[in-house]
């Protein structure tokens, strides 16, 4: 028997029972639709209360004033909708406040019962005679975190009250005809609906699963439909993979840009707030240093207070130097890039750190590539960045590219652990007792000002290698 003949016999049987059977089923569908709309309405109502309750609920529980505010919020909920009860819980499910016209207690933890869509018509009919309320909830969000929830439960009459009276009459007649119709059509439905059910299940899982394929049934019409579905599944798998690759790439770009923007905003705020304060403080320190110098000159060498005055002068000089380094980092300096080769800058830096390296017994070595291309760089800013790297390398040793130019400074000091490497370029982060935490932050600022970047490789006990990469002049001008 072909599928067309099977469907003809099925339609003939359904038409016989259409008047009563379809009416009853339509009623059940309408009841379910109304209940679903009621759930959405309940979520919206609970969300309004959750917004108000967020002022008095924190991650540690009820905030000050919450005990007085919660009853008012819940009474407004009960007045706004026909509810059996309304309550507020924290994120552990503990009831913080409960209100119910009938005095019914509110459950702790997860609600004992929540409305679910009926799986078959008889289940919807049972709900018309057996009380089963609808529980809706909305999360309480504070500072981006879920700290609790507002839950409400509709009265049973509100859930099925309007449809119950009509359902009694229609269901009694409809049940009889539906039973007869189902008995007659069951033989045909078993063979027809099984492939369709499999197709429906596969279609539902197609959005999440991959490689969904169905065996072809015997009926020619259904076989054509299954083949079309399998072909669609193959194409969706290919498109899904393309989309996932694209989304992953875009997410990585967004994360990188977000980090850059947040860091730039933080540094700009820091510079704007602290630059003025540091400048004024530096002026005061210079005045103190001047008076200390005068006092030192006027005091005899054997005077008992002379060591104290010299100590004041020394510490004020150190503090003024620290503030000056901070201002170098905080000021948004305008670069003056010029096309040039950077070999002479590196030689100058190595000569400058010569005395410090000699005193620390650190051997200097510079290797500049012969074919190093010219770059657009601010000589003074780049010199300061490389100098900071060299000084940092000397201090560390005392304690124990692609296109463009690559400046590499390596040391054989104690190295750094992964956590230190992660934060080493952040302002005010330092592992040295007398460090300021600004040297490497200035290095990164200088590298980025030239369109380049700075990176570090280090392991505990194996020293550290810092690299500044600067793109060639042609790439910077473009």
């Amino acid at each position: 028997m072909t599928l067309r003949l099977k469907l003809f016999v099925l339609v003939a049987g359904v038409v016989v029972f259409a008047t009563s059977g379809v009416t009853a089923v339509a009623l059940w569908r309408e009841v379910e639709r109304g209940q679903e709309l009621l759930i959405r309405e309940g979520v919206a109502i609970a969300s309004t209360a959750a917004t108000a309750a967020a002022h008095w609920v924190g991650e540690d529980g009820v905030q000050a004033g919450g005990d007085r505010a919660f009853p008012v919020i819940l009474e407004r909920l009960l007045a706004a909708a026909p509810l059996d009860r309304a309550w507020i819980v924290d994120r552990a499910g503990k009831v913080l406040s409960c209100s119910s016209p009938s005095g019914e207690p509110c459950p702790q933890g997860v609600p004992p019962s929540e409305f679910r869509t009926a799986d078959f018509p008889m289940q919807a009919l049972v709900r018309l005679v057996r009380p089963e309320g609808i529980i809706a909830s909305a999360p309480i969000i504070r500072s981006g975190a879920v700290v609790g929830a507002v839950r409400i439960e509709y009265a049973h009459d509100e859930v099925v009250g309007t449809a119950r009276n009509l359902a009694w009459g229609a269901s009694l007649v409809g049940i009889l005809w539906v039973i007869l119709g189902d008995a007659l059509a069951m033989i045909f439905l078993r063979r027809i609906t099984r492939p369709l059910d499999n197709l429906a299940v596969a279609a539902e899982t197609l959005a999440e699963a991959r490689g969904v394929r169905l065996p072809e049934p015997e009926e020619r019409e259904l076989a054509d439909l299954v083949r079309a579905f399998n072909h669609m599944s193959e194409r969706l798998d290919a498109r899904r993979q393309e989309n996932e690759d694209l989304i992953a790439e875009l997410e990585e770009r967004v994360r990188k840009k977000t980090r850059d923007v947040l860091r730039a905003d933080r540094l700009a705020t820091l510079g704007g707030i602290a630059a003025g304060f540091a400048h004024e403080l530096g002026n005061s320190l210079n005045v103190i240093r001047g008076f200390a110098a005068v006092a030192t000159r006027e005091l005899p060498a054997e005077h008992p207070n002379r060591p104290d005055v010299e100590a004041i002068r020394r510490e004020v000089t150190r503090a003024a130097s620290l503030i000056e380094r901070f201002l170098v980092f905080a000021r948004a300096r305008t670069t003056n890039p010029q096309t040039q080769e950077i070999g002479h800058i590196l030689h100058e830096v190595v000569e400058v750190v010569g005395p410090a390296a000699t005193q620390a017994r650190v051997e200097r070595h510079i290797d500049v590539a012969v074919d190093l291309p010219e770059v657009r760089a601010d000589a003074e800013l780049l010199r300061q960045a490389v100098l900071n790297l060299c000084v940092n390398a000397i201090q560390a040793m005392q304690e124990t590219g692609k296109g463009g130019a690559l400046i590499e400074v390596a040391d054989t000091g104690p190295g750094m652990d992964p956590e230190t490497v992660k934060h080493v370029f952040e302002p005010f982060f330092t592992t040295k007792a007398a460090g300021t935490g600004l040297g490497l932050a200035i290095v990164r600022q200088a590298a980025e000002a030239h369109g380049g970047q700075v990176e570090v490789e280090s392991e505990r006990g194996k020293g550290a290698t810092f690299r500044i990469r600067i793109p060639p002049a042609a790439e910077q001008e473009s």
Side-chain angles (χ1 to χ4, degrees):
M1 183 181 295
T2 64
L3 179 60
R4 289 187 180 89
L5 181 57
K6 295 177 182 178
L7 290 176
F8 176 80
V9 175
L10 176 62
V11 170
V14 170
V15 169
V16 176
F17 312 111
T19 303
S20 57
V22 172
T23 301
V25 173
L27 175 62
W28 292 327
R29 294 295 185 187
E30 188 64 25
V31 172
E32 292 180 355
R33 189 179 298 109
Q35 293 170 341
E36 292 174 357
L37 293 176
L38 203 60
I39 291 178
R40 297 191 184 100
E41 178 185 352
V43 172
I45 295 174
S47 297
T48 304
T51 302
H55 297 288
W56 292 280
V57 180
E59 295 185 359
D60 299 329
V62 181
Q63 303 294 314
D67 294 337
R68 298 187 301 274
F70 291 159
V72 177
I73 295 173
L74 295 180
E75 289 300 328
R76 291 178 181 175
L77 279 180
L78 295 177
L83 305 176
D84 273 348
R85 54 185 173 176
W87 65 101
I88 300 175
V89 299
D90 60 14
R91 61 182 179 182
K94 178 183 178 181
V95 175
L96 303 180
S97 182
C98 175
S99 183
S100 173
S102 61
E104 185 178 359
C106 297
Q108 301 278 353
V110 179
S113 64
E114 291 189 4
F115 174 81
R116 298 180 182 274
T117 303
D119 297 328
F120 47 90
M122 286 301 298
Q123 184 178 357
L125 180 61
V126 170
R127 286 176 175 166
L128 297 177
V129 296
R130 188 180 65 185
E132 182 176 353
I134 292 179
I135 296 178
S137 65
I140 300 176
I141 300 177
R142 183 169 183 173
S143 300
V146 177
V147 295
V150 174
R151 292 173 178 161
I152 62 173
E153 182 175 7
Y154 280 96
H156 178 60
D157 289 340
E158 179 66 16
V159 178
V160 296
T162 58
R164 181 172 52 190
N165 296 332
L166 181 61
W168 277 113
S171 60
L172 293 177
V173 178
I175 288 175
L176 176 62
W177 292 112
V178 168
I179 292 175
L180 295 176
D182 288 344
L184 181 61
M186 187 176 298
I187 299 175
F188 303 107
L189 288 175
R190 185 177 298 275
R191 289 185 59 86
I192 295 174
T193 59
R194 183 175 300 170
L196 295 178
D197 289 340
N198 294 337
L199 185 62
V201 172
E204 291 179 357
T205 60
L206 190 60
E208 300 178 356
R210 293 187 177 184
V212 179
R213 302 293 185 274
L214 294 176
E216 296 184 6
E218 298 178 357
E219 290 80 3
R220 184 182 59 190
E221 296 87 349
L222 290 177
D224 293 339
L225 181 61
V226 170
R227 280 195 294 269
F229 173 83
N230 290 338
H231 180 64
M232 178 185 67
S233 177
E234 293 176 359
R235 296 185 60 185
L236 286 177
D237 288 345
R239 294 294 177 86
R240 183 184 290 111
Q241 185 61 45
E242 295 177 1
N243 292 337
E244 289 178 354
D245 295 341
L246 178 60
I247 291 173
E249 181 181 356
L250 292 177
E251 288 179 346
E252 180 60 29
R253 292 182 180 179
V254 169
R255 282 194 294 269
K256 185 177 183 300
K257 292 297 182 183
T258 301
R259 290 194 300 269
D260 294 342
V261 170
L262 292 177
R263 178 166 54 83
D265 182 68
R266 184 170 61 252
L267 294 180
T269 303
L270 174 65
I273 295 176
F277 171 77
H279 178 73
E280 295 300 326
L281 184 60
N283 291 338
S284 299
L285 291 175
N286 288 330
V287 172
I288 296 173
R289 180 169 55 183
F291 279 107
V294 173
T296 302
R297 290 196 303 269
E298 294 181 355
L299 288 176
E302 66 279 1
H303 195 280
N305 292 335
R306 184 180 181 88
D308 297 334
V309 175
E310 291 178 347
I312 293 174
R313 182 182 179 185
R314 182 175 60 255
E315 292 303 316
V316 169
T317 301
R318 178 177 175 274
S321 176
L322 172 61
I323 291 178
E324 179 62 26
R325 294 187 67 187
F326 171 75
L327 289 176
V328 170
F329 172 75
R331 284 195 295 264
R333 173 181 172 181
T334 301
T335 59
N336 183 25
Q338 296 181 355
T339 301
Q340 57 186 310
E341 62 91 21
I342 62 174
H344 69 283
I345 298 177
L346 304 181
H347 284 285
E348 291 177 5
V349 172
V350 173
E351 292 179 2
V352 169
V353 299
T358 301
Q359 183 179 1
R361 298 181 180 180
V362 174
E363 181 181 352
R364 296 170 296 155
H365 177 71
I366 180 171
D367 184 8
V368 180
V370 178
D371 57 347
L372 191 66
E374 291 185 341
V375 296
R376 285 183 57 80
D378 184 322
E380 182 60 30
L381 190 59
L382 185 59
R383 184 182 294 107
Q384 180 65 40
V386 179
L387 181 60
N388 284 346
L389 287 180
C390 291
V391 171
N392 192 73
I394 292 174
Q395 293 175 349
M397 296 177 71
Q398 280 182 292
E399 296 177 357
T400 52
K402 51 185 180 179
L406 172 64
I407 304 171
E408 185 173 280
V409 178
D411 63 67
T412 57
M416 297 176 287
D417 55 55
E419 187 65 23
T420 302
V421 171
K422 185 187 304 182
H423 301 285
V424 71
F425 292 108
E426 295 180 0
F428 304 110
F429 178 83
T430 181
T431 58
K432 300 181 178 66
T436 64
L438 292 175
L440 292 179
I442 295 175
V443 171
R444 181 171 65 180
Q445 188 182 61
E448 293 177 350
H450 291 88
Q453 60 184 5
V454 61
E455 59 189 38
V456 58
E457 290 184 3
S458 180
E459 293 184 24
R460 178 61 69 182
K462 296 184 179 180
T465 300
F466 291 85
R467 300 183 183 90
I468 297 179
R469 300 182 186 274
I470 302 178
E475 182 176 333
Q476 290 178 312
E477 293 173 350
S478 62

